[in-house]
Amino acid sequence: PLTRRFAPKLIAALDRAIAFCQSTLAYGRIAEREPRRETVAFSPIVRDVAESLGLDEDHKVKIVETAPAQFSIHVDREQFYRVLLNLLRNAVQVLSAPGRDGGRIRIEARRDGETVTIDVADDGPGVPPRLKAHLFEAFNATAQAGGTGLGLAIAAELVQLHGGTIVLLDSDEGAAFRITLPGA
């Protein structure tokens, strides 16, 4: 029974890992595929990302999601998963750094007419000023030793393929990103 319960999640995680590797290689060739859009529920994507990052109830980093009940978005589910994964992975790394007691990541989703706006903000130290100018450029924006500097570049490319934008917002506390996507 335990294997039956975890096998689908393991297979999904492996499929995502393969897709991630393929997309990283594709990024080097600038060959990201066009999104296959469908209307998907927002909250399950957030939960899947949190689960893949190991953010269970005992983790010192907490995610607080604010979205209307039954909120949905018109995106390529796997590509949008990768967008959130890259944003949240960066926040978790900062909030889990030695000397920190964890923190909170707030995800707010709302619809403004036909436009979907998603804010992802953490209560960490914020983006270092030296990184801000090149934040969404490949290989230029990494504060983490051993980081590739690809996460935000890939996130930006995927959002742009969806006809949207991603920007770093001015914030008094932590890092705050805004994703804006067109409606269905």
Side-chain angles (χ1 to χ4, degrees), residues 94-114:
V94 168
L95 296 173
S96 298
R100 288 208 45 102
D101 291 330
R104 291 175 50 169
I105 303 169
R106 294 172 311 284
I107 303 172
E108 179 186 335
R110 64 188 176 280
R111 192 170 313 283
D112 303 312
E114 289 296 314

Side-chain angles (χ1 to χ4, degrees), residues 116-132:
V116 171
T117 302
I118 301 163
D119 291 337
V120 178
D122 65 56
D123 59 3
V127 177
R130 67 180 172 80
L131 296 181
K132 288 183 180 180

Side-chain angles (χ1 to χ4, degrees), residues 27 90 127-143 148-154 156 166 168 177:
Y27 186 83
N90 289 350
V127 177
R130 67 180 172 80
L131 296 181
K132 288 183 180 180
H134 303 285
L135 197 59
F136 298 105
E137 295 174 14
F139 310 111
N140 286 320
T142 182
T148 62
L150 279 176
L152 291 178
I154 291 172
I166 181 171
L168 176 69
F177 293 88

